[in-house]
Amino acid sequence: QVVRRYILGSVVDSEKNYVDALKRILEQYEKPLSDMEPKLLSERKLKMVFYRIKEILQCHSMFQIALASRVSEWDSVEMIGDVFVASFSKSMVLDAYSEYVNNFSTAVGILKKTCATKPAFLDFLKQCQESSPDRITLYGLMMKPIQRFPQFILLLQDMLKNTNKGHPDRLPLQMALTELETLAEKLNERKRDADQRCEIKQIAKAMNERYLNKVRNSGNRYLIRTDDMVETVYNDKGEIIKTKERRLFMLNDVLMCATVNIRSSYESSGTMTTGQRYLLKWSVPLGQVEVIEYGSSEGQGDNCRFPPQHSAENVIINSKPNKLYMGPGQLYHDLQNLLHDLNVVGQISQLIGSLKGNYQNLNQSVAHDWTSGLQKLILKKEDEIRAADRCRIQLQLPGKQDKSGRPTFFTAVFNTFTPAIKQSWINNLQMAKLALAEDNLLGWFCVEDDGNQIKKEKHPLLVRHMPVMMAKQQEFKVECAAYNPEPYLSGETESDSCAMEHGFLWIGSCTNQMGQIAIVSFQSSSPKVIECFNVESRILCMVYIPEEEKLKEQNKGLNSENVLAKSSNVPTICLGMEEGSISVYKSCQGSKKIRLQHFFTPEKSTVMSLTYMSEYLFAGLVNGNISIYTKAEDGTWNTEPQKIVKLGVLPVRSLLVMEETIWAACGGQIFIISTVTHSIESHFEAHQEEGMVISHMAVAGVGIWIAFTSGSTLRLFHTETLKHLQDINIATPVHNMLPGQQRVSVTSLLVCHGLLLVGTNLGIIVALPVPRLQGIPKVTGRGMVSYHAHNGPVKFLIMATSINKKNRNKLRNSLPPGSEPKDDDDQKNVLHHERPSSSSLSNTHDTAVWLGGSVGSIAQKSDLSSSSGSLTLSHGSSSLEHRPEDSNIYELLKDQNISFKSKRQRSKKMKVSSVLVISGGQGHRRVNKKTKQQRQDELVSSVMVWQIPLLNI
């Protein structure tokens, strides 16, 4: 109570300061400028600079009154969440803020230009700032409305942390968080749209090219990102001969490369202004841009055993004059030569073994030294390739047609300033190209509340649709799936060190009598079935069970024999069978079909649902019971249940883990079972109508979405109070797209990164927007319906998350002390580090290399070194954010380095993630296309793989 009262005081103080700041803008800036004669700003410009501030002040004045009223009665009514909901769920708040936010860039632009052209205006701003007690600038005051909702969200999150379950303010606080997050999300979207339009206009103006005017006038084009990079030019030998600073503009369908020129000009008033002009070097369609990775096909260059200790930026940016540096292309060629030589030395070693006489310098010991020396050279060369490739992007770009009309190509090589920027840039390129693919040009039918279509960059993108079955076995139908996040290598070559690693998916399909398992790997950009086998009964459900952390720690200290003995301590997939049995399969990289256990449930009751938590396996049975299994000491499951919990007589169709409880759906009721005592804590009816049977549940934040076997309604309940909060009829968006009034029911359900995904009996997927914070996952818009559909029900929707391979390698490799690569952010803090020559190992035909000694001696002979000191070019990846609040408008006009500094700070925070959603059903079809009679292969067990855009993550 003390902490809650303290936070309430913070909310009150924060709101008072905010309202005072809005009043200062109007009283200290707008009113004097409006009354001033002669005017420094025209009436039109004044209105544009201070647009909508009065309306925002009005909204917060009303909120301040409601807040004060609640503070006065705090001892009797200890609630504040409902005040936020009442004040900020009004449309006038969104309208006022969104128009202010959209206009912000224009307002700041007017202020900057006026500062540059009218010294009197600059003096006025300085005087106002210096006379204020906190010396905050006009820009700082105008940033406060943009920062307000994130501040509110932080305060409410603090309040919620200190509000116990059962407190009357807890649900209102969660509702308030949902309202504010939804409002902030819509404001961010509108601001992003406005900034993108503004950026394209500025680029077009700075380039002054006819081509860019087309870009500006095309309403469908938008800017994805702008990056400063260093282009490297190589000679015929693969040596870097020069570098050039370039700026790359990635639009949604065009990639442009330009040189930045800083030009000074004099206005009519005699004031000198500095602006950026761009000289366009080339512009190509984004869909034809290809990224070339050395060694990606053969796997030699990327499959290194040690991570790099140096960054490419050390070689390129701080290169010494009159020195030649080798590029990754030549380094990779050198590696191939070394591998060839190792093979030859291996053959020589075998021949030496067949010698009949004894010779002083020709024996197995000498051959072993040769082999060892070559292996060390190969490791070092691999290291150099990885180091040079970390920040390097090689692009294959379309050129003009030759005389015979055939297409030509040229390459361009760029170096980013951190590996994270390279990874982010390539991911953005791949997502943009995926959005341009034919399948995604018209992928979703969507109408937002205001009648405008949802922007394409928010749509899930179809990566691939593919069958998952053995050849000529069309009778199998997809039933269920489980995802293992551990990468499934199975001898495949590893992807690039910056790549995002996905795991693999187990998919269960059934005929009338038997089942089949297909394992799909998501390692490469093209998902593929890597294994397929039959099982003796129909598979109705499955669950992935990770390796126990305790057992994993124990295994580290065991020898290999003991580890083999404890083979059950591995990730597994449990299958629930119609015959009333549970099968446990090994599920780890490199493993083939290995069944560890198979046991029957009591009375051989059909297994309808499975879930796992805290070393317990929960099986929902067709007879209305839940069987709870425990693990034995060796890591296997005890075949007899530790306890059976009786729920009812109808099948237990769905099980869900939630904190320290299991939620079980039996008929139309949900039972909440403790994972500690395994007893029923509470239960409630999910629907008042008789005969409504729960089929699916999906939890997000403090809400649970429930679907039923019949009907098209989804219901949202609060997980703490069990209150019914919202109903959604998914038939409405489906019928908006499809002609006729076909019956719609829910066959699968998933909440994933701001989307509630609903699979239907018609094979169509509906995506509804929901908040992402730990509030109430209420549907906040009309959503969208996919034009890509299955031919039968969508049997499952499952999320596949990625793991950064670079981070995984840090965990996998046991590196010697001090050999771990430094964090990218700290690279510039290294004062001086000698680097072995990239070229010293390449001229093996000209210089003899001693294979018997340490490879370190070769590095010591090198006269080529490069400092990895701080970068002189302070560029980074540009985003569309605004500068910090303490930025000074008139200082920005003089000091160009401020923007560079902010870019570097933003590039440090860059993190890229990847999320796939997989749907399972029969075949694939396009709803908006007329199709001929369905072929037999269109009815086979299939999956559709969707990429969730990075914007939504």
Side-chain angles (χ1 to χ4, degrees):
Q1 285 180 321
V2 171
V3 175
R4 276 174 54 81
R5 184 179 283 276
Y6 177 79
I7 296 169
L8 176 68
S10 298
V11 172
V12 173
D13 292 343
S14 170
E15 186 63 12
K16 181 181 181 301
N17 293 337
Y18 179 60
V19 170
D20 287 347
L22 294 176
K23 288 178 179 176
R24 276 173 62 182
I25 294 174
L26 297 174
E27 292 169 5
Q28 296 179 20
Y29 289 93
E30 190 205 33
K31 194 171 187 306
L33 286 169
S34 181
D35 296 343
M36 198 178 290
E37 290 293 342
K39 291 189 182 299
L40 291 174
L41 279 177
S42 65
E43 286 290 341
R44 185 180 66 86
K45 287 184 177 178
L46 266 176
K47 187 176 179 182
M48 289 173 73
V49 169
F50 301 106
Y51 189 58
R52 287 294 196 177
I53 291 176
K54 286 180 182 174
E55 288 81 358
I56 291 173
L57 178 58
Q58 186 182 353
C59 293
H60 282 269
S61 297
M62 293 163 64
F63 173 64
Q64 207 174 22
I65 293 167
L67 197 60
S69 171
R70 185 53 53 90
V71 169
S72 66
E73 54 188 24
W74 185 254
D75 291 332
S76 57
V77 184
E78 221 184 286
M79 290 172 65
I80 191 177
D82 56 331
V83 177
F84 275 90
V85 173
S87 300
F88 296 111
S89 57
K90 298 170 183 172
S91 59
M92 63 177 286
V93 178
L94 177 61
D95 292 341
Y97 267 96
S98 62
E99 288 179 17
Y100 176 84
V101 165
N102 291 354
N103 181 68
F104 184 81
S105 298
T106 305
V108 172
I110 291 171
L111 291 174
K112 286 175 70 175
K113 190 170 183 181
T114 312
C115 282
T117 55
K118 295 184 179 179
F121 183 72
L122 188 60
D123 292 338
F124 170 76
L125 292 184
K126 284 182 179 178
Q127 188 180 347
C128 289
Q129 181 195 359
E130 288 165 3
S131 62
S132 63
D134 52 11
R135 298 181 64 80
I136 193 168
T137 64
L138 175 58
Y139 178 86
L141 292 170
M142 290 177 67
M143 274 295 292
K144 287 187 178 292
I146 290 172
Q147 299 164 338
R148 192 59 189 143
F149 288 109
Q151 289 168 350
F152 271 152
I153 288 170
L154 290 173
L155 286 167
L156 287 185
Q157 283 176 328
D158 276 349
M159 184 70 93
L160 189 59
K161 283 177 190 171
N162 293 281
T163 305
N164 295 327
K165 287 183 180 179
H167 193 289
D169 197 24
R170 192 165 169 86
L171 178 56
L173 278 173
Q174 290 164 338
M175 295 287 282
L177 264 176
T178 302
E179 288 290 345
L180 289 174
E181 189 203 350
T182 305
L183 192 58
E185 181 73 16
K186 288 180 178 176
L187 285 176
N188 284 339
E189 280 180 28
R190 296 186 185 188
K191 183 174 188 308
R192 193 160 47 231
D193 293 347
D195 283 349
Q196 286 177 344
R197 286 193 297 271
C198 184
E199 284 272 346
I200 284 190
K201 284 180 183 177
Q202 288 176 354
I203 293 168
K205 188 176 178 183
M207 283 200 185
N208 199 20
E209 296 258 348
R210 263 188 247 165
Y211 175 78
L212 262 297
N213 289 327
K214 289 182 188 175
V215 172
R216 179 168 53 180
N217 295 329
S218 173
N220 297 325
R221 280 210 173 108
Y222 54 88
L223 181 70
I224 295 174
R225 60 186 292 150
T226 303
D227 295 88
D228 291 305
M229 297 188 188
V230 175
E231 184 177 6
T232 53
V233 182
Y234 299 84
N235 62 14
D236 294 338
K237 296 179 182 177
E239 299 164 335
I240 299 172
I241 53 175
K242 61 179 175 178
T243 62
K244 305 171 183 177
E245 294 175 45
R246 297 283 190 240
R247 184 162 294 177
L248 291 184
F249 300 99
M250 188 189 295
L251 279 66
N252 61 310
D253 61 347
V254 172
L255 181 66
M256 298 183 297
C257 175
T259 301
V260 181
N261 294 324
I262 307 293
R263 289 188 181 177
S264 300
S265 59
Y266 285 88
E267 298 283 342
S268 56
S269 61
T271 309
M272 190 182 80
T273 61
T274 303
Q276 288 186 340
R277 305 289 292 176
Y278 301 128
L279 177 63
L280 186 66
K281 306 303 291 183
W282 47 258
S283 171
V284 297
L286 198 69
Q288 297 180 35
V289 177
E290 298 292 338
V291 177
I292 301 171
E293 293 286 355
Y294 277 104
S296 57
S297 57
E298 293 85 356
Q300 297 289 347
D302 296 309
N303 194 14
C304 300
R305 277 147 281 195
F306 293 97
Q309 298 178 30
H310 311 282
S311 169
E313 62 199 71
N314 302 337
V315 183
I316 306 302
I317 309 304
N318 297 300
S319 55
K320 293 183 178 180
N322 305 317
K323 292 284 184 182
L324 289 177
Y325 294 78
M326 305 308 297
Q330 183 62 41
L331 292 172
Y332 183 66
H333 179 71
D334 297 344
L335 177 63
Q336 299 302 312
N337 291 341
L338 286 171
L339 290 168
H340 170 269
D341 292 350
L342 181 64
N343 183 44
V344 172
V345 168
Q347 295 173 19
I348 293 171
S349 179
Q350 287 181 347
L351 291 171
I352 289 174
S354 64
L355 289 172
K356 294 184 178 177
N358 292 324
Y359 305 95
Q360 184 177 356
N361 293 322
L362 201 62
N363 53 48
Q364 287 288 2
S365 177
V366 171
H368 179 268
D369 285 346
W370 294 348
T371 303
S372 176
L374 271 171
Q375 286 173 339
K376 288 177 181 177
L377 287 175
I378 287 168
L379 282 177
K380 182 163 283 293
K381 187 63 67 175
E382 286 179 337
D383 209 14
E384 290 173 8
I385 290 173
R386 288 283 292 275
D389 214 29
R390 287 182 80 204
C391 299
R392 176 186 173 281
I393 301 172
Q394 177 168 339
L395 303 177
Q396 178 180 286
L397 306 162
K400 294 180 180 178
Q401 293 182 344
D402 61 15
K403 292 179 181 179
S404 60
R406 288 177 299 185
T408 61
F409 298 92
F410 67 98
T411 59
V413 181
F414 298 94
N415 280 270
T416 61
F417 291 89
T418 66
I421 295 174
K422 172 189 172 177
Q423 179 185 331
S424 169
W425 194 91
I426 290 175
N427 274 329
N428 279 131
L429 175 68
Q430 289 169 343
M431 290 295 290
K433 287 178 66 176
L434 187 59
L436 292 171
E438 186 183 354
D439 280 343
N440 292 308
L441 289 177
L442 187 58
W444 294 83
F445 171 84
C446 45
V447 179
E448 262 295 9
D449 295 327
D450 56 3
N452 296 323
Q453 285 215 340
I454 297 175
K455 289 194 71 175
K456 267 193 175 177
E457 58 262 47
K458 290 188 66 182
H459 298 183
L461 301 172
L462 184 69
V463 177
R464 191 181 177 195
H465 53 85
M466 55 182 282
V468 284
M469 42 149 281
M470 289 181 183
K472 298 179 182 178
Q473 291 192 344
Q474 284 88 3
E475 67 271 17
F476 281 95
K477 293 184 178 180
V478 168
E479 188 64 40
C480 55
Y483 179 69
N484 180 345
E486 286 292 321
Y488 191 90
L489 300 181
S490 187
E492 296 177 17
T493 58
E494 292 190 23
S495 53
D496 178 71
S497 60
C498 283
M500 307 305 291
E501 286 192 345
H502 290 277
F504 53 103
L505 185 70
W506 284 54
I507 299 169
S509 301
C510 303
T511 62
N512 290 333
Q513 290 88 25
M514 62 185 295
Q516 185 180 97
I517 290 292
I519 302 175
V520 180
S521 168
F522 294 96
Q523 277 300 98
S524 61
S525 57
S526 181
K528 62 180 179 182
V529 178
I530 54 175
E531 195 172 345
C532 213
F533 58 88
N534 290 337
V535 292
E536 60 271 18
S537 175
R538 298 181 77 239
I539 310 160
L540 300 186
C541 56
M542 58 176 77
V543 64
Y544 166 69
I545 299 178
E547 181 181 0
E548 288 294 326
E549 288 299 323
K550 286 191 298 184
L551 296 173
K552 192 186 288 186
E553 290 299 321
Q554 290 171 10
N555 286 349
K556 285 181 182 177
L558 299 174
N559 59 35
S560 58
E561 290 180 13
N562 287 338
V563 171
L564 288 172
K566 288 180 172 283
S567 60
S568 298
N569 300 334
V570 293
T572 56
I573 297 282
C574 290
L575 313 182
M577 305 292 206
E578 190 178 59
E579 68 176 5
S581 67
I582 295 173
S583 289
V584 183
Y585 283 85
K586 188 176 179 182
S587 175
C588 57
Q589 63 182 38
S591 69
K592 293 294 181 183
K593 172 186 141 185
I594 300 175
R595 187 163 77 175
L596 301 175
Q597 280 184 278
H598 178 250
F599 53 90
F600 285 92
T601 60
E603 303 174 12
K604 293 189 177 180
S605 186
T606 298
V607 183
M608 301 293 294
S609 53
L610 286 169
T611 195
Y612 162 83
M613 185 182 180
S614 304
E615 297 186 38
Y616 290 100
L617 179 65
F618 297 83
L621 307 180
V622 74
N623 61 8
N625 293 348
I626 292 180
S627 288
I628 304 174
Y629 296 90
T630 57
K631 279 196 171 181
E633 286 186 9
D634 63 354
T636 60
W637 293 105
N638 291 312
T639 55
E640 291 298 321
Q642 184 203 44
K643 186 174 182 180
I644 295 175
V645 181
K646 179 74 175 173
L647 302 184
V649 293
L650 293 174
V652 181
R653 292 179 176 270
S654 185
L655 291 171
L656 197 66
V657 175
M658 198 179 302
E659 295 179 348
E660 296 301 315
T661 59
I662 300 291
W663 287 45
C666 179
Q669 290 186 311
I670 289 181
F671 295 83
I672 302 170
I673 301 164
S674 167
T675 55
V676 180
T677 62
H678 296 157
S679 58
I680 298 171
E681 291 185 347
S682 61
H683 72 279
F684 66 97
E685 287 279 350
H687 210 290
Q688 291 73 32
E689 287 184 28
E690 200 172 327
M692 295 297 283
V693 175
I694 299 166
S695 59
H696 298 87
M697 298 186 291
V699 66
V702 289
I704 183 168
W705 282 101
I706 295 171
F708 302 89
T709 53
S710 60
S712 55
T713 300
L714 292 172
R715 308 200 100 188
L716 174 65
F717 287 84
H718 188 222
T719 59
E720 295 174 6
T721 62
L722 308 182
K723 284 185 180 177
H724 175 216
L725 301 175
Q726 190 180 23
D727 277 356
I728 292 291
N729 185 358
I730 57 149
T732 304
V734 172
H735 290 153
N736 283 338
M737 184 182 79
L738 290 179
Q741 295 291 312
Q742 300 179 60
R743 185 185 63 83
V744 181
S745 61
V746 178
T747 55
S748 49
L749 203 59
L750 174 70
V751 180
C752 168
H753 291 280
L755 290 173
L756 172 63
L757 297 163
V758 187
T760 66
N761 60 316
L762 303 177
I764 289 169
I765 298 169
V766 179
L768 301 162
V770 293
R772 295 189 196 114
L773 285 184
Q774 295 300 297
I776 309 292
K778 290 179 69 176
V779 169
T780 55
R782 294 186 190 176
M784 45 194 170
V785 184
S786 173
Y787 282 116
H788 295 277
H790 293 289
N791 289 309
V794 181
K795 298 297 288 188
F796 67 80
L797 285 165
I798 200 161
M799 181 172 64
T801 53
S802 68
I803 299 169
N804 191 315
K805 182 169 179 284
K806 180 177 153 190
N807 294 337
R808 177 184 293 282
N809 286 339
K810 283 184 182 177
L811 299 173
R812 280 186 189 156
N813 297 321
S814 54
L815 299 174
S819 66
E820 280 205 27
K822 291 184 178 295
D823 189 82
D824 301 324
D825 297 351
D826 300 328
Q827 295 235 1
K828 65 177 187 300
N829 297 326
V830 183
L831 293 177
H832 188 79
H833 190 99
E834 291 294 314
R835 175 184 173 79
S837 167
S838 297
S839 58
S840 60
L841 302 180
S842 61
N843 302 321
T844 51
H845 298 294
D846 303 325
T847 308
V849 178
W850 172 246
L851 293 178
S854 169
V855 77
S857 60
I858 301 168
Q860 290 163 11
K861 294 174 187 176
S862 167
D863 62 346
L864 176 63
S865 63
S866 114
S867 166
S868 57
S870 60
L871 303 180
T872 53
L873 301 172
S874 304
H875 305 312
S877 178
S878 172
S879 75
L880 302 175
E881 300 170 18
H882 290 280
R883 296 171 182 84
E885 180 178 308
D886 59 359
S887 297
N888 196 319
I889 288 178
Y890 44 85
E891 287 178 351
L892 284 175
L893 297 168
K894 300 173 186 175
D895 190 357
Q896 294 293 327
N897 292 327
I898 293 178
S899 62
F900 293 151
K901 180 182 176 184
S902 65
K903 285 178 184 177
R904 179 188 284 180
Q905 287 170 344
R906 287 195 294 269
S907 70
K908 284 183 184 180
K909 298 174 186 175
M910 268 193 188
K911 288 184 179 177
V912 180
S913 181
S914 175
V915 173
L916 299 176
V917 169
I918 301 105
S919 67
Q922 300 305 107
H924 165 265
R925 64 189 171 103
R926 286 291 295 265
V927 175
N928 56 332
K929 283 188 176 180
K930 291 182 180 178
T931 54
K932 298 174 184 176
Q933 192 172 1
Q934 289 176 346
R935 301 193 309 272
Q936 190 66 22
D937 61 345
E938 291 176 347
L939 298 174
V940 300
S941 297
S942 302
V943 293
M944 290 191 288
V945 182
W946 304 86
Q947 176 84 51
I948 302 298
L950 301 177
L951 185 72
N952 286 358
I953 296 173

